[in-house]
């Protein structure tokens, strides 16, 4: 099962992947993260910077594949590059229950490779990012429609410092706006591939809100730290509750798809 996040330049994409990976692994699920960011940002949540190298890095029951994608040519419209990269690393994604793909935000050949490699996609949205959110989701819907990508859209995860209800409403309206450029028959097709997969969009936002807090934001594992900050996510009750709720919703949406 392959999961990828929407190519949006919004705050929190890598963080939410780490929350889900930790929560799922604690429930006995085998998790793989494919890190396509040239800065290997999400890898640094789990591995000390000086210990990161291209290839497989592991943390407890989570494997992180840190791929130097710059060695591959993304200059042409080729949707098979990611498959080639995985073959080169000799990693069989079918050995994992969940595979998350993280990459540098933006609509690019890298993000389109990730989308074509995936079964599901979801988005994060934070304050003041509604324009980028709408544009990114519009690209996803066009890929689903015109390139016949077999994707299902699991919904939006709201990351809010204040007024989460207002941001959730903006995210909902952003989904509506992103559908408008499609022909009517295409809109109906795509809406049935968006949670709750019955043509309505009222439940597209996750109920679990990710608050903007230091313990959830400061996850980079520097050489000065004894343990990776991501490790403590499930050690504190208020953080554990957020992650467990997020994982419950995530699994429910996967099961309904």
């Amino acid at each position: 099962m392959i999961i990828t996040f929407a190519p949006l330049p919004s705050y929190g994409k890598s963080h939410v992947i780490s929350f889900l990976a930790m929560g799922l692994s604690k429930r006995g699920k085998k998790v793989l993260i494919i890190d396509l960011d040239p800065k290997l940002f999400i890898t640094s949540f789990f591995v000390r910077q000086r210990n990161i190298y291209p290839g497989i890095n592991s943390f407890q029951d989570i494997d992180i594949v840190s791929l130097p994608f710059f060695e591959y040519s993304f200059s042409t419209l080729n949707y098979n590059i990611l498959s080639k990269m995985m073959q080169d690393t000799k990693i069989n994604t079918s050995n994992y229950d969940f595979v998350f793909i993280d990459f540098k935000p933006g609509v690019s050949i890298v993000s389109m490779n990730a989308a074509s490699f995936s079964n599901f996609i979801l988005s994060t949205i934070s304050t003041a990012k509604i324009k980028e959110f709408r544009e990114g989701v519009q690209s996803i819907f066009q890929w689903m429609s015109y390139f016949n990508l077999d994707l299902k859209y699991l919904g939006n995860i709201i990351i809010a410092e204040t007024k989460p209800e207002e941001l959730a409403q903006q995210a909902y309206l952003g989904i509506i706006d992103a559908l408008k450029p499609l022909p009517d028959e295409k809109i109906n097709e795509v809406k049935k591939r968006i949670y709750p997969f019955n043509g309505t969009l009222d439940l597209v936002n996750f109920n679990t809100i990710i608050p903007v807090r230091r313990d959830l934001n400061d996850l980079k594992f520097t050489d000065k730290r004894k343990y990776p900050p991501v490790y403590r996510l499930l050690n504190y009750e208020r953080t554990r509750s957020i992650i467990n709720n997020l994982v419950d919703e995530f699994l429910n949406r996967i099961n309904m798809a």
Side-chain angles (χ1 to χ4, degrees), residues 15-252:
H15 290 71
V16 170
I17 291 177
S18 69
F19 302 161
L20 289 169
M22 285 292 294
L24 290 165
S25 69
K26 289 298 182 182
R27 299 190 188 192
K29 305 295 184 182
K30 290 194 66 177
V31 178
L32 173 70
I33 298 173
I34 302 174
D35 187 356
L36 298 178
D37 192 315
K39 295 182 179 180
L40 301 180
F41 187 56
I42 197 169
T43 304
S44 71
F45 291 175
F46 298 91
V47 184
R48 276 195 176 93
Q49 289 172 295
R50 58 185 165 89
N51 294 335
I52 294 175
Y53 59 91
I56 300 178
N57 297 275
S58 296
F59 174 78
Q60 296 185 344
D61 296 324
I62 301 171
D63 288 339
I64 306 102
V65 183
S66 309
L67 293 176
F69 71 78
F70 47 81
E71 294 181 359
Y72 296 77
S73 174
F74 282 93
S75 60
T76 59
L77 199 61
N78 184 342
Y79 303 135
N80 299 316
I81 300 173
L82 185 52
S83 297
K84 172 69 165 56
M85 294 166 73
M86 295 307 294
Q87 290 173 5
D88 289 351
T89 57
K90 296 181 172 58
I91 292 174
N92 185 357
T93 55
S94 65
N95 292 334
Y96 296 88
D97 297 301
F98 296 95
V99 180
F100 295 92
I101 307 176
D102 194 27
F103 46 87
K104 184 179 179 180
V107 177
S108 64
I109 296 300
V110 178
S111 58
M112 292 188 74
N113 264 266
S116 66
F117 196 69
S118 304
N119 303 117
F120 301 95
I121 193 162
L122 59 78
S123 300
T124 58
I125 180 171
S126 60
T127 305
K129 294 290 185 179
I130 190 63
K131 179 181 178 182
E132 293 88 345
F133 172 83
R134 183 172 57 249
E135 292 173 350
V137 174
Q138 183 174 318
S139 297
I140 294 166
F141 293 161
Q142 289 174 342
W143 298 347
M144 291 166 62
S145 178
Y146 297 116
F147 293 98
N148 297 314
L149 296 187
D150 188 21
L151 282 172
K152 289 192 175 178
Y153 190 90
L154 295 179
N156 312 314
I157 296 177
I158 309 297
I159 301 172
E161 188 168 6
T162 59
K163 301 180 179 179
E165 299 83 4
E166 181 178 313
L167 188 56
Q169 178 65 10
Q170 291 181 26
Y172 170 77
L173 294 176
I175 294 287
I176 300 294
D177 289 343
L179 286 165
K180 288 179 180 178
L182 299 177
D184 290 344
E185 66 276 8
K186 294 287 187 180
I187 290 176
N188 292 329
E189 287 179 16
V190 172
K191 285 173 72 172
K192 290 182 179 179
R193 294 165 66 185
I194 302 173
Y195 184 85
F197 313 117
N198 60 7
T200 66
L201 302 175
D202 292 346
L203 301 176
V204 67
N205 294 322
F206 276 62
N207 290 322
T208 304
I209 306 296
I210 307 297
V212 178
R213 288 204 319 250
R214 182 174 179 179
D215 59 331
L216 294 173
N217 300 342
D218 186 17
L219 298 184
K220 201 164 186 179
F221 189 11
T222 64
D223 292 340
K224 295 180 180 180
R225 289 176 159 167
K226 186 175 182 181
Y227 301 107
V230 72
Y231 178 77
R232 68 170 182 255
L233 290 176
L234 294 172
N235 290 340
Y236 300 118
E237 176 58 34
R238 65 175 186 170
T239 305
R240 184 165 59 244
S241 176
I242 292 169
I243 293 175
N244 284 333
N245 290 340
L246 183 65
V247 170
D248 285 342
E249 275 199 87
F250 173 80
L251 291 174
N252 179 64

